[in-house]
Each structure stands twice: as C-alpha cells, then as structure tokens.
Amino acid sequence: MATKSKKQKSLTPDEVRQELIKKYPPKVARKRAKQIQANTGDEASTPEILSNVRTIPGIMTMRGCSYAGCKGVVLGPTRDIVNITHGPIGCGFYSWLTRRNQTEPPTPESENYMTYCFSTDMNENDIVFGGENKLKQAIREAYDLFKPRAIAIFSTCPVGLIGDDVHAVAREMKETLNKENPDHFINIFGFSCEGYKGVSQSAGHHIANNQIFTHVIGLTDKPKEGKYKINMLGEYNIGGDAFVIDDLLERCGITLVSTFSGNSSIHDFERAHTADLNTIMCHRSINYVAEMMEIKYGIPWIKVNFIGAKESAKSLRKIAQYFGDKELMDRVEQVIAEEMPAVEAALASIKPRTEGKTAMLFVGGSRAHHYQDLFSEMGMKTLAAGYEFAHRDDYEGRRVIPSIQVDADSRNIEELEVCPDPTRYDKELEAKKKALEAQGYEFSDYKGMMPEMEQGTLSIDDLNQHEADKLIELYKPDIFCAGIKEKFGIQKCGVPMKQLHSYDSGGPYAGFKGAVNFYKEIDRLVNSKVWSFVKAPWNKNPELTATYNWE
Amino acid sequence: MTLLRHTPTEIKERSALAINPAKTCQPIGAMYAALGVRGCMPHSHGSQGCCAYHRSTLTRHYKDPISAGTSSFTEGASVFGGQANLLQAIQNIFTIYEPDVIAVHTTCLSETIGDDLPQIADKARQEGKIPEGKYILTASTPSYVGSHVTGFSNMCMGIAKGFGSKDTKKTGKVNILPGFVEPADMEETKRLATMMGIKHILFPDTSGVVNAPLLGEYHMFPDAGARIEDLVQIGGSKGTIALGEWASAQAARFMDAEFKVPCMVLDLPFGLRATDRYVDALRKIAGTSVPYEIDKERGLVVDLLSDMHQYFHHKKVALWGDPDQLIPLVEFLRDLDMLPVHIVTGTPGKKFEKRIEEIMTETAMPVPYNVKVGGDMFLMHQWIKNEPVDLLIGNTYGKYIARDEDIPLVRHGFPILDRQGHQYFPTVGYRGALRLMEKILDAFLSRKDRDEPEASFELVY
C-alpha cells in the first residue's frame, strides 16, 4: 500500500484505468472499468459512465447510506423539526452535529433543535416485540417537552425488517395530539429511509424530498412579501455558505422564500410554492423537488452555482434575467461590482503561488463539479473528479435521463405521481417560461460535470480507497479533496487533503466572499511548510558517510 | 442565547425518548478493537452506512485513517440474507488489500435477519476464499444490545476465540486486556508492565495504528498492533489481567474457562488507587518486585496532590461516559477530595450503581449524588440546572452544556472530536493521573484567572 512520490503524468487515461483495476478479481475489474471514463472536453462526445450502481462488497467505499442522505443531509439542517431516529442508538448518535450545518434562528428564544439528538434507542425487546408503541410514547414525550411545530421520524435498518409502520404511527399521533391540543398545530411525518434502501445516500435524498413534498410544501398560502421571489434548492449551509448567498440575494433585492435546507425552517418550506422561480445548487440531492413543484404549481427551475466568483456572478445575472426587470439587473450588476475588487485583489496575491498546480475532487453529488470552478480561477487544473452518489445525469447531463436504465435498487424508491394543483397552478409562470425559452433562456437543464472537464482528465464514479491510493501514486496531485474518511490516509502520503463535505474547519466558500476564503485556504494548504518536513534531514541523503573526529 | 435552550429544569420521567445519548452502538467498539490486531481489516457485515459512520467517527476522534470493509447490503441482501455479500467481500478484501486477518462483526441489520458469521466463515474456508495462513475472526454485535463498550468486549472475545487454543505450550507470559481506552493508554499500560520486567501479550493494542506518524507513505496496515505470533500463544500464558469489567472481563473469563489461564478483573488504571491495584496485580501475577522508578512516578502524583489540594477540595463535578472509565474516575475524584455529584452512563449494566455507591460511601463524610445507568446527557444537563457544578468531565458533546451553563469542561472519554492530545498522552497509570490532575487544575485556575476581581487577581497560585 506504500505510495512513493513519483510523477507519471504521461500515462494515457486508458493506462491509468488499467493501473487502477489491475489488482481486482476479474468481475470487480469489469465493473469498475465502466465507472472510470476519460473526458472528451465537449458535450456531444461525452462517454457513458456507469453510476448509481451497487457498491461491491468488501470495497472500501466513500459512500454512506439512505438514512444518512435523508436524515443527515436533507432534514438535518432544518432547525425547528424534532427529528426522531427510530432505531438502535447508533444511527442517531452518528448523525448528531457532524455535518457543520449552521443555522441562525430569528430570535434567541426561537425553536432550534439542531443541537439535540433524539432517538427511540431500541433495545432487544423492541426488536422482538415491535417498536411502534415505544415510538408513539417517544413522540408524546417529545411533544410534552418541546411542543414543536413538527416531528419527523426516520426509519433505520431493523425498523424496516421488523415491519414497524412509522407512517401509520405518524398519522395516528398527528391526529391524536392535534385533537388533544386544538390551539397548537403539529405536523408529524415519517421517512422509510432504512439504510439498505438504494445503493447510496442518493436514495435517502429522494425519500426525504418526496415526504417533504407530500407533507409540508403548500401547507401555508400566505406568501412572503417581495418583488422577486425564489427558492434555493440543494444548499445545506455547510460552514455558513447559505448565509453568504442570503446576503447577496438580499442586497440584490431578491426575496428568498426558502432554502432547502440550509439555515431553514419548516414554516418556509410550507410556503415554498409561493415563489416565482426555483434555483438548484445541488442537482443530485434535490432535482425531484423542483420537478414536482413545476408540475404541481407551475414554478420553473434553473440550475445555478454559487461556488466560484464567475459562477456566482453568472447565477445572479441569470436570476435577474428571468425577472427581466431593468432595476433588478442594475442592482445585480452593482452588487457584483461591489464584490469583485476584493476577489480580484485576493486572486492577484494568491495566483502566483497556485497557478499550474493540480487537484483531484471526489465528493458528493455536485461539489466535485462546482469546486472545479474555484480551482480554475486560481489557475489550478483538476486531473480527476467524481461523485460518491451521483447518477449518470450528474456526470453526462440531463439529456441522458431518458436512456437511464432503472434497476431493482432504484425501483424500490417510491416515485410520486404529481399533477397540477387545480387552484394554485400558476399559468402565468408557465407562459413566462415559454416566452423566455423562445429567447434562448435555458430552463430545467443541467449539462453535467463531464462536458466541462478538460480532454484527457478522468471522471471516476464511487472512487474507493485502493483507487485513491493508486491515483496519488500515479499523479501526486498538489491537493486532493474528499471526505473525513479519506483525509488522513491521503495526508500520510504527504499530499494535503481538503474536506469538501464539511470543509474541515473552514468556510463559507460560496459567493464572492466564500471564493476569497477558498483561495486563502487552498494557498495555505498547497504552500504549507508542513509538507517539506515529511522526510527528516537524515532520510533525504541516507547514503552520506563521514569520518568523525573521534574515530 | 443558549444552544440547548429547550432543556427544562424540571425533570420529567421519560420511558421511550432518548435525548443526547451517553453511549453509541456496538459495532464501532468492535471495529476499534479489531484495529488493535496487526494486519487486521475490520469488516462490518450490514449496509454500508454503518461502516461509513463508524469509520467517520473513529477518524474524527483519532485524526488518522481508519480502514474497514463493508458487506454493502441493499434490499436484496436484507431479504435473502447476506451470505453471498460476505463471501464476495472476503475474497475481494484478501485480493485487494491483503490483510492477514479479517475481523467481521454484525450490525443490527445482519443480526436481525439472523446471518450466522461462523457458518459463513466456514463456508469461505471450504470454498478456498481464505488464503493459507490468513484468519477470519467473528463477533456478534447487535446494535440494540449494550453499547459501543459491549461491542469492544465482543470483539475481544472474537480475538480470544479466534487465536486462543488450550493446547498451547506454557510461555510464562501474562495476557493484558487494556479495555476501551486511547492508543496512548494502551502504550502506557504496556510500559508499566515492561518496567517491571514482565513478558506480556497486550490485546487489542491500537497504539501506533490509530496514532501513526506521518512519514510520506500510507500503510493501510501499520507495523503496530498485537502480533499474530503472540496472539496464538494467549492460551499458554500464566495469567490474564483484564482492565475494565464491561470491556475486558468477558474475554478474560473465557480464556480462564477454556484455556485454564487464570484471570483477574480490575478497574481501568485511572488515578492513584486503580493504578496501584494494576501494579500490585502485575507484581503478584509475575512474582516480581516493583522497581523504584514506579514508586517515584507514584510519589509525584501524591506530591502534586499535596501541593495543590486546596484547589481540588470539595469542588463539585458532573461526569458521563463509559462505566469502566467512570468507576475509577469517580474514585480518583474522591481521592482528590472532590465531589462527583452527577454521574451518568448510557451503557447498561447492573453492577455500576453498586460500585459507585461503594466508592461514594467509603469515606467518613457522605455526599448526596445522582447516578443513572442507561441515562442520557439531557438528564445530566437537567441535574446540573438543579444542582450546579464546578466542573464537567466527559466527551466532546458536553461542550454545549459547558457553554450554556458556563462551566469548564475537561474532555475525557469517547468521542473527543474537537481537541487533540488524547491519542498521544495517556491518562492511565501514574503519568496519566498527573495529566488528569494537570487538566483539572488548568480548568479551575484558568477560570479563576478569568473571574477574579482585580484586587484579588494574583500572580501566584
């Protein structure tokens, strides 16, 4: 497993692929070969990449599970839901405050349960005799203690096996508690997000979004005041990213109805359907919500990206263009003009030290794409990138969706039947979309990561420990980006590693301010003295011989 | 503003809802124990989220790579059983990562569907999936029984069962089971035995595995941990010292019954008297005398205590964590004349309350205190609101209580996600006792320096 620092950049992508899969048993090698593709640098010739398929048993994957995607990623950042994990203690414990989702309640007294971990802590008896009664009692106890606006229940693996019906319990307790307390409405809903569902976290995102769509969105018709109203989907406020985006939008005069689900509140989700536009950051985790809201309420959606200064400016302009208002467009330009000098100054100071360096990114279902923009602003090239839990459309673009084969694991995830809401479907928005589309404005599209990567670079789906080791050995990149599990193994090789799920200690990295933070952080990492200390002086020239004067 | 603003002072009985647990689940303990065998790849038999969570949490705690495999169950395996997944995993792991041992533990998923690990391991052997000279260990670790400590204990048992044999030649060595402690603590446990000239086999031994140096190369299996050539001899040792009833006693008693290796179960050697008992046990089991160097180390603990007693005396403490850790810690705090008034462990176990009661009532001056087995940190916080304390001792999750109530926190136990040092500097043994006292004193004196009025702000303490 030892990795020597030898640069061999002359290898062709195919040679690299052979190196990565050389050690595998034949069946494993065949499958992995399809998950490793060389980029062609354009949309038309993007090769097909195998993704969203089962992890091979025994492979040290970077992936997590459905529960992690549902409770950890999507619902975790909402401060005013009491999230009860129904299961043994572990799952609840591990998803307790470990994702760095920041939140800022409006007042010091406001609801905020994010610092708490709630679990039914199932024991052997509950597994043998069923845990529904314990769950009911737990909901009652949570209600008595906190009187929250909402309680959500998350199923863990054994709950699915023993057949506890969390949805029936949720319905019953919602009815009972609302009957007992007519002055305080409480919403209670469950998620069948057992860890074994699907092949990665992605299944959990889907399950989470379906239930939020079913039980929450549309509950309140009272709109937020504002002229230009949008939702931000797929932004989780890691390290304060959403705060930066909120600030930018506010200064432009754009009203953010809700963010799914960074710095979020359930009340904002309830009226999300009153927005005029949905903007998507992380396509993978949430494109379903945008799709369903368009069908039901007529709200069009666009893909945005607030990672990188250029992309942030582009996204702001695209939002302004949608509303088509001169006043808004001017304000957007003004805000960009206010922000850019600091960005340019930071780049001017940092770029001489980062230009020409190389990076690899293996993270998430959009971060591996978005963060390449920041690296390219610094003059850094991304040699290889990939996602843990993406589907083909995240790599190749949405145009391949019709050709994606639905396998058994995906079929187990519920697809909602959605139809237009008879009273709330917004025909004006539909007409607006048509008019803008005629002018060439792009809706409902995401081109994917692969077309935007340079020719000869690699896209690798569901990278694992063995292949990461090999990549380091073959390329010795200047920086590697992945998650906590990968961090210290990479660093043991003398390669700095930046976490891009939770950002290590840093952030925010969104927007213009975030870009400056990121430039500084990467400069710190790739130019840190620490990497020059890895070899002791006596190991750098070990053959040295000398005659000592006492000999 | 308070971060735990919804925690009321009034305590209501809860029977179903756990809030802010003071424990986690079995498999993570099993994974940690397995890392203490040289060349061993822990393997989690279940869906891949468990393995991801356990690796992440151990990584955050130790700031080092934690290698482990998973059977990656999807719905099919959950319905039809995980045998095919495990067989495939065993073959892949031996081919790709080349460990000497795979230590498989169950999860609540594979446990509930009833996968029989020893049977699957046998099948793997018959099918030639286990290369010559390589081993598979197994442990049953249902997450809905016990806690992470139970899982650690079950994998210690897996190691003893997997390597031990009653037909081993007598070696005159002593088996030492260090308990669920930091790698630095395992190192210190070995050092004390070595100082007394005792040949020993310490297992599991995670020192050098989860606190490995950065040398420019990554080794999935560092040259550290309990060696297989030693482990196969455990049945021929002249005795076993098991540290920690919850984490170590099970494997020690098994070796006693199966291999006729007599065992002694002691507390983890935190603080003065528990270390005394460990040293005394080593002396007796090996028939050696205690060297002056150890007397000297012990004397430093007593010296510091006598020098700084005024700052320890009658300070109130709340503490939570694993039962094996809390028992000697409470004893040590009492020996410092401090008052441990709130004590919570999430790990179930009947003997805990009785042991705490013995420790709390052995001195002439009884102190009222709260203790709960199977409690959580929400309850701990409520107790503190009702009866404030001067110090908190527990894991990282206590920082929210510390901030809300403005009480200093000494981080101890598992997990510690936001501070360093626990991997490198021991808190067991006499050196560990010195370090614990230093940390407690620092917490008190820093607080005093912060709060003292100008007129009484003094340079000398």
Side-chain angles (χ1 to χ4, degrees):
Chain A
M1 282 298 121
T3 14
K4 286 264 184 283
S5 57
K6 204 175 169 192
K7 296 199 180 193
Q8 299 185 354
K9 285 182 183 173
S10 52
L11 288 176
T12 67
D14 204 50
E15 284 165 339
V16 175
R17 184 198 286 127
Q18 291 311 319
E19 276 295 310
L20 298 187
I21 64 174
K22 200 164 63 180
K23 212 176 175 191
Y24 291 142
K27 264 173 84 178
V28 177
R30 270 200 300 280
K31 187 174 176 192
R32 286 301 302 158
K34 292 181 203 159
Q35 288 174 275
I36 305 168
Q37 295 295 349
N39 294 304
T40 56
D42 75 281
E43 205 181 336
S45 58
T46 299
E48 182 176 326
I49 188 166
L50 184 69
S51 59
N52 192 35
V53 289
R54 291 183 187 178
T55 316
I56 299 159
I59 296 289
M60 272 223 282
T61 176
M62 295 177 177
R63 285 170 166 178
C65 66
S66 180
Y67 166 85
C70 182
K71 196 269 181 182
V73 175
V74 178
L75 271 299
T78 305
R79 62 177 163 262
D80 46 7
I81 302 177
V82 167
N83 287 322
I84 301 178
T85 300
H86 185 39
I89 200 69
C91 303
F93 184 88
Y94 304 118
S95 55
W96 180 19
L97 294 170
T98 45
R99 268 184 61 85
R100 297 195 67 226
N101 306 110
Q102 300 185 1
T103 200
E104 200 165 31
T107 72
E109 292 76 37
S110 304
E111 284 181 280
N112 179 12
Y113 304 108
M114 277 170 59
T115 48
Y116 292 86
C117 164
F118 304 98
S119 170
T120 52
D121 187 11
M122 289 173 91
N123 60 36
E124 210 162 12
N125 269 339
D126 306 318
I127 299 294
V128 175
F129 300 109
E132 289 186 8
N133 284 333
K134 190 171 196 185
L135 177 59
K136 282 179 203 170
Q137 178 61 20
I139 292 170
R140 186 170 281 284
E141 287 171 6
Y143 183 83
D144 289 344
L145 273 169
F146 308 112
K147 297 273 184 312
R149 169 83 175 172
I151 294 178
I153 304 145
F154 301 86
S155 305
T156 57
C157 292
V159 167
L161 291 182
I162 64 173
D164 277 2
D165 188 343
V166 299
H167 308 287
V169 170
R171 272 195 304 275
E172 184 191 321
M173 290 310 289
K174 182 177 170 181
E175 197 185 312
T176 309
L177 292 175
N178 280 320
K179 205 179 276 171
E180 286 172 13
N181 306 275
D183 301 331
H184 177 90
F185 173 77
I186 181 163
N187 197 353
I188 304 178
F189 40 88
F191 298 85
S192 294
C193 55
E194 295 87 351
Y196 55 75
K197 290 260 175 84
V199 301
S200 71
Q201 296 94 308
S202 172
H205 305 149
H206 201 154
I207 291 162
N209 290 320
N210 282 350
Q211 293 298 83
I212 290 292
F213 189 78
T214 307
H215 295 281
V216 184
I217 296 173
L219 273 190
T220 318
D221 277 326
K222 197 175 167 220
K224 216 171 188 169
E225 290 301 313
K227 204 165 169 190
Y228 319 107
K229 288 182 292 193
I230 69 166
N231 294 317
M232 179 70 59
L233 308 183
E235 163 49 51
Y236 301 100
N237 202 25
I238 309 288
D241 277 352
F243 295 148
V244 172
I245 299 172
D246 292 357
D247 172 67
L248 276 176
L249 294 174
E250 196 184 315
R251 279 159 57 206
C252 292
I254 298 162
T255 302
L256 196 56
V257 178
S258 64
T259 302
F260 286 69
S261 44
N263 187 31
S264 50
S265 84
I266 190 158
H267 188 68
D268 288 342
F269 292 168
E270 288 170 358
R271 58 184 177 181
H273 65 296
T274 63
D276 300 317
L277 176 70
N278 278 328
T279 61
I280 294 191
M281 275 283 280
C282 175
H283 175 260
R284 181 68 269 138
S285 60
I286 205 156
N287 69 72
Y288 333 92
V289 169
E291 292 282 329
M292 292 187 292
M293 281 173 77
E294 177 155 11
I295 297 170
K296 188 166 179 182
Y297 303 109
I299 307 169
W301 69 267
I302 58 170
K303 175 78 177 70
V304 293
N305 176 14
F306 281 92
I307 303 300
K310 280 183 205 151
E311 285 298 316
S312 298
K314 208 167 119 186
S315 297
L316 284 175
R317 286 183 179 124
K318 185 155 186 185
I319 295 168
Q321 209 187 337
Y322 171 79
F323 290 103
D325 214 326
K326 174 85 173 50
E327 187 194 327
L328 175 62
M329 287 193 243
D330 288 347
R331 274 176 83 168
V332 162
E333 289 308 324
Q334 192 191 328
V335 169
I336 294 170
E338 283 165 15
E339 293 281 343
M340 279 314 285
V343 173
E344 278 154 11
L347 257 189
S349 119
I350 281 154
K351 207 169 172 182
R353 294 187 298 276
T354 54
E355 181 103 59
K357 292 202 185 290
T358 56
M360 291 186 178
L361 300 89
F362 293 94
V363 58
S366 81
R367 288 182 196 268
H369 180 193
H370 290 167
Y371 278 80
Q372 294 186 36
D373 294 320
L374 275 166
F375 281 118
S376 81
E377 285 171 6
M378 281 184 279
M380 290 175 67
K381 181 177 171 176
T382 303
L383 299 171
Y387 300 128
E388 289 168 271
F389 50 81
H391 302 197
R392 273 184 62 203
D393 41 317
D394 303 296
Y395 287 105
E396 301 170 52
R398 287 183 67 91
R399 66 195 171 85
V400 302
I401 288 178
S403 64
I404 295 176
Q405 300 241 313
V406 181
D407 60 15
D409 293 311
S410 302
R411 222 168 269 132
N412 289 331
I413 315 298
E414 182 195 29
E415 282 290 341
L416 294 185
E417 286 284 328
V418 184
C419 51
D421 187 295
T423 55
R424 295 185 286 185
Y425 184 88
D426 196 331
K427 286 218 172 74
E428 278 177 37
L429 291 180
E430 189 191 324
K432 185 181 177 73
K433 178 181 172 180
K434 276 201 180 121
L436 277 166
E437 259 179 336
Q439 295 165 28
Y441 189 98
E442 270 178 6
F443 286 99
S444 317
D445 197 22
Y446 175 47
K447 300 229 181 309
M449 178 182 88
M450 292 173 82
E452 294 202 351
M453 289 185 70
E454 274 181 45
Q455 191 179 0
T457 57
L458 292 162
S459 292
I460 308 177
D461 182 60
D462 187 19
L463 186 83
N464 58 57
Q465 179 75 53
H466 169 68
E467 291 165 18
D469 279 354
K470 280 281 162 197
L471 282 178
I472 299 268
E473 187 185 323
L474 297 172
Y475 289 98
K476 193 93 199 302
D478 295 298
I479 193 163
F480 196 96
C481 303
I484 183 74
K485 300 192 293 298
E486 295 76 42
K487 183 175 175 80
F488 300 100
I490 304 287
Q491 292 195 166
K492 286 277 191 279
C493 303
V495 173
M497 149 76 212
K498 175 73 186 167
Q499 281 192 73
L500 280 187
H501 295 284
S502 71
Y503 299 164
D504 295 312
S505 55
Y509 297 135
F512 304 93
K513 287 194 179 65
V516 174
N517 289 340
F518 196 75
Y519 302 154
K520 288 181 182 165
E521 174 73 347
I522 297 305
D523 179 34
R524 176 185 77 78
L525 281 163
V526 300
N527 293 306
S528 166
K529 266 193 180 159
V530 62
W531 312 112
S532 69
F533 301 144
V534 169
K535 286 278 169 240
W538 52 88
N539 285 331
K540 285 180 183 161
N541 296 301
E543 289 84 21
L544 187 76
T545 54
T547 310
Y548 298 100
N549 57 9
W550 59 78
E551 272 183 3
Chain B
M1 200 192 294
T2 55
L3 286 159
L4 298 167
R5 67 190 68 161
H6 303 293
T7 305
T9 305
E10 190 204 344
I11 299 170
K12 275 188 199 158
E13 188 67 30
R14 280 175 285 128
S15 64
L17 185 69
I19 314 175
N20 304 348
K23 65 165 178 181
T24 182
C25 66
Q26 282 210 46
I28 196 170
M31 186 179 279
Y32 180 55
L35 289 165
V37 174
R38 191 166 303 206
C40 177
M41 170 82 108
H43 183 84
S44 166
H45 186 52
S47 57
Q48 67 208 13
C50 307
C51 185
Y53 273 142
H54 301 145
R55 286 179 64 207
S56 295
T57 304
L58 291 172
T59 303
R60 287 190 177 107
H61 179 82
Y62 295 109
K63 308 284 188 269
D64 244 16
I66 304 293
S67 303
T70 161
S71 295
S72 290
F73 280 32
T74 58
E75 207 142 29
S78 309
V79 176
F80 301 114
Q83 175 169 296
N85 287 47
L86 185 51
L87 291 173
Q88 198 189 350
I90 288 169
Q91 186 179 20
N92 285 334
I93 290 171
F94 278 130
T95 311
I96 301 164
Y97 308 109
E98 300 177 55
D100 296 319
V101 187
I102 301 176
V104 191
H105 59 261
T106 56
T107 60
C108 44
L109 174 53
S110 57
E111 196 63 42
T112 308
I113 63 177
D115 277 356
D116 181 349
L117 293 188
Q119 174 262 315
I120 301 174
D122 272 348
K123 196 168 165 60
R125 203 165 288 121
Q126 284 157 21
E127 290 179 2
K129 291 194 164 74
I130 305 173
E132 196 65 34
K134 308 246 173 175
Y135 295 83
I136 301 253
L137 306 177
T138 60
S140 170
T141 54
S143 316
Y144 40 77
V145 177
S147 76
H148 55 292
V149 186
T150 325
F152 184 91
S153 167
N154 285 337
M155 186 50 85
C156 288
M157 183 78 167
I159 297 168
K161 268 188 180 168
F163 289 114
S165 155
K166 57 182 156 198
D167 305 323
T168 317
K169 226 172 62 197
K170 294 277 173 274
T171 61
K173 290 182 182 175
V174 177
N175 298 329
I176 304 173
L177 295 160
F180 197 147
V181 290
E182 296 288 332
D185 295 327
M186 297 193 186
E187 189 79 57
E188 181 66 9
T189 305
K190 284 193 289 189
R191 192 186 67 93
L192 283 169
T194 305
M195 277 174 90
M196 295 175 71
I198 294 166
K199 290 203 170 65
H200 57 270
I201 305 168
L202 183 127
F203 75 95
D205 180 4
T206 59
S207 62
V209 180
V210 298
N211 57 351
L214 197 162
L215 297 169
E217 291 180 7
Y218 169 56
H219 297 277
M220 188 172 282
F221 305 108
D223 198 12
R227 277 188 295 259
I228 294 167
E229 60 258 45
D230 290 336
L231 289 171
V232 294
Q233 293 185 340
I234 53 174
S237 293
K238 67 171 157 185
T240 300
I241 296 179
L243 302 175
E245 173 71 38
W246 275 256
S248 304
Q250 184 188 197
R253 293 198 179 113
F254 166 80
M255 292 189 285
D256 197 328
E258 286 292 307
F259 315 141
K260 305 293 174 245
V261 178
C263 76
M264 212 186 280
V265 179
L266 303 175
D267 292 323
L268 290 174
F270 286 118
L272 188 63
R273 282 193 290 156
T275 305
D276 286 352
R277 292 195 291 273
Y278 172 56
V279 171
D280 212 33
L282 283 172
R283 176 178 72 106
K284 283 177 187 155
I285 209 162
T288 57
S289 56
V290 179
Y292 167 70
E293 285 302 312
I294 290 184
D295 276 5
K296 193 178 131 192
E297 285 185 12
R298 184 182 187 280
L300 294 177
V301 177
V302 182
D303 186 58
L304 181 64
L305 173 51
S306 73
D307 291 346
M308 304 302 269
H309 181 261
Q310 62 272 33
Y311 301 110
F312 294 121
H313 188 249
H314 281 199
K315 288 286 197 309
K316 285 183 184 168
V317 190
L319 58 170
W320 64 94
D322 302 347
D324 285 341
Q325 306 224 355
L326 290 173
I327 288 166
L329 277 177
V330 166
E331 184 189 56
F332 188 40
L333 295 179
R334 293 297 292 123
D335 291 344
L336 299 174
D337 289 318
M338 292 171 68
L339 309 175
V341 292
H342 308 309
I343 305 152
V344 158
T345 182
T347 300
K350 287 179 195 137
K351 292 177 189 161
F352 183 74
E353 287 183 46
K354 198 164 156 275
R355 280 299 309 277
I356 295 293
E357 193 190 337
E358 281 165 12
I359 294 164
M360 293 300 288
T361 52
E362 70 180 6
T363 48
M365 197 185 65
V367 180
Y369 65 96
N370 295 310
V371 60
K372 174 122 182 176
V373 177
D376 54 33
M377 289 172 65
F378 186 78
L379 174 69
M380 167 66 72
H381 191 182
Q382 291 186 301
W383 279 346
I384 293 166
K385 281 179 180 291
N386 284 285
E387 160 119 42
V389 293
D390 304 298
L391 182 70
L392 308 173
I393 301 181
N395 66 18
T396 282
Y397 285 96
K399 76 191 283 181
Y400 289 83
I401 302 175
R403 181 176 153 122
D404 279 4
E405 306 297 335
D406 195 22
I407 302 168
L409 164 66
V410 167
R411 284 162 179 79
H412 194 270
F414 179 84
I416 296 171
L417 309 172
D418 63 335
R419 290 294 189 276
Q420 294 300 297
H422 53 92
Q423 314 94 318
Y424 308 118
F425 311 112
T427 45
V428 301
Y430 301 117
R431 282 187 176 180
L434 275 182
R435 180 157 173 260
L436 274 173
M437 290 160 85
E438 184 208 2
K439 288 175 93 163
I440 293 169
L441 278 169
D442 267 0
F444 285 146
L445 297 182
S446 300
R447 181 50 55 103
K448 200 165 149 63
D449 284 341
R450 193 194 80 178
D451 296 343
E452 207 71 4
E454 277 183 22
S456 51
F457 185 78
E458 290 169 341
L459 177 75
V460 185
Y461 284 129

